Amino acid sequence: MLAQAVTTQNAVDPVALRRALGTFVTGVTVITTHDAEGMPRGMTANSFTSVSLDPPLLLVCVGRGAHSFAAFNASSSFAVNLLHEGQTDVSNLFASKAANKFDTISYDRVHTGSPILTDCLSWFDCTVHRRVDAGDHVVLIGEVQAFGTSPSAPLGFCRGRYANVKDPLPPGWLASHGMIVGYLIEADGHLLLRSDGKGGWVLPSAMRRIADNELKLEGGDALTLVPDDTFLYSVFDVADGDPGYLIYRARLAQDPGSAALSAGLKFFPLDQLPYDHIPTREISAMLRRYARESASKRFGIYMDSNDGGRLAMVGEAQPWASSPQS
């Protein structure tokens, strides 16, 4: 049986049409840019679509009546921040006309300068590829310059309200709790490694993420890190079937000489890392890349894939920033 038809003799009923369009389940995004004065601007949108992989294109639609429309219509770049299931408050904030949306939101500037929310499901930093006038909206087609993602569950939207998405990770995806979480902990040009008890060196690992700027390593050591300098650096599997790896880059908040470390932990100069004593080939290759990128202060995020992986460059590491204006 066909769904109930809604038509009129003269025109489409916009209220009924909105309700019908709203039955399509979407994610929720916060799109961001900066205005002519360089101030961050942002709004909630669910009109987001992947367009092309080669070149990497996506699109969002911005209503002409939106408070931030002028900024998006004039800027040469924008970012799309996909929200996770715990961010309904962020969605509501950016759906409002508040003048201080960024006061309580942490964000960074990665490639184009458009604000990237530091806590979101995925983000895409784009230059404007093309603008298309479409009725009461403008379609912004963006070319992706950098991106990042996480295994969190997405925030859904359907029939005018938020929706939960069941089982967001399909078969073949690795959930974060099934992976080894390792840390590249740097201090004064040195990197912390842990003895594997067999003459080799591995990365220190942790069972969970940082709480109150403190990282509790497996083995009992607790280190205080600089929170603004902690970010996802690499995600990959290893060939011998071990669990996959989530690798975070972090910086010690104290002088390495004053840190009380267990006997199995040692700081190595970045130009003297013991590559020949790293038992896992993938870890050794990742450490070589990290040493090179540390020297240039230009880091990337590596995501493993069947065809060799992807490296999204994110530019020089910068502290997360908060700005007083929307």
Side-chain angles (χ1 to χ4, degrees), residues 296-321:
S296 64
K297 302 299 182 185
R298 186 169 184 267
F299 296 95
I301 298 176
Y302 174 78
M303 299 288 180
D304 197 11
S305 66
N306 292 333
D307 60 352
R310 297 286 185 270
L311 181 61
M313 298 309 295
V314 299
E316 182 176 355
Q318 299 177 1
W320 302 137

Side-chain angles (χ1 to χ4, degrees), residues 120-136:
C120 63
L121 173 68
S122 299
W123 55 267
F124 305 90
D125 197 2
C126 308
T127 52
V128 174
H129 178 77
R130 186 180 176 188
R131 285 185 175 85
V132 180
D133 288 331
D136 57 5

Side-chain angles (χ1 to χ4, degrees), residues 18-19 22-23 46 157-162:
R18 177 186 289 272
R19 290 174 178 170
T23 61
N46 65 346
F157 196 78
C158 183
R159 290 191 171 97
R161 59 186 178 181
Y162 297 113

Side-chain angles (χ1 to χ4, degrees), residues 90 93-94 101-107 117-118 321-323:
V90 176
L93 172 63
F94 280 90
K101 296 177 183 178
F102 289 88
D103 275 6
T104 58
I105 299 296
S106 294
Y107 66 93
L117 305 189
T118 60
S322 293
S323 184

Side-chain angles (χ1 to χ4, degrees), residues 81-251:
N81 302 270
L82 277 60
L83 302 186
H84 60 65
E85 61 181 356
Q87 293 185 296
T88 56
D89 56 338
V90 176
S91 174
N92 292 334
L93 172 63
F94 280 90
S96 72
K97 294 185 178 180
N100 56 348
K101 296 177 183 178
F102 289 88
D103 275 6
T104 58
I105 299 296
S106 294
Y107 66 93
D108 193 17
R109 299 183 189 274
V110 176
H111 185 92
T112 69
S114 298
I116 304 296
L117 305 189
T118 60
D119 178 24
C120 63
L121 173 68
S122 299
W123 55 267
F124 305 90
D125 197 2
C126 308
T127 52
V128 174
H129 178 77
R130 186 180 176 188
R131 285 185 175 85
V132 180
D133 288 331
D136 57 5
H137 282 66
V138 166
V139 180
L140 293 181
I141 300 177
E143 181 167 358
V144 178
Q145 302 297 329
F147 66 95
T149 189
S150 76
S152 301
L155 178 62
F157 196 78
C158 183
R159 290 191 171 97
R161 59 186 178 181
Y162 297 113
N164 293 325
V165 178
K166 303 291 185 181
D167 192 20
L169 292 178
W173 288 58
L174 286 174
S176 60
H177 66 266
M179 305 179 77
I180 296 174
V181 180
Y183 280 84
L184 296 157
I185 300 174
E186 189 176 339
D188 295 337
H190 291 65
L191 191 70
L192 185 65
L193 296 178
R194 178 175 61 84
S195 170
D196 65 359
K198 304 175 183 178
W201 294 91
V202 296
L203 288 177
S205 58
M207 292 297 294
R208 61 183 61 192
R209 294 289 304 277
I210 300 168
D212 297 327
N213 302 338
E214 186 178 76
L215 180 67
K216 294 184 178 179
L217 301 178
E218 291 187 10
D221 291 85
L223 300 176
T224 302
L225 305 181
V226 179
D228 287 347
D229 282 358
T230 301
F231 57 80
L232 180 65
Y233 182 75
S234 194
V235 181
F236 58 91
D237 294 331
V238 294
D240 61 6
D242 284 348
Y245 283 82
L246 286 173
I247 305 297
Y248 288 87
R249 187 258 187 181
R251 184 160 60 90

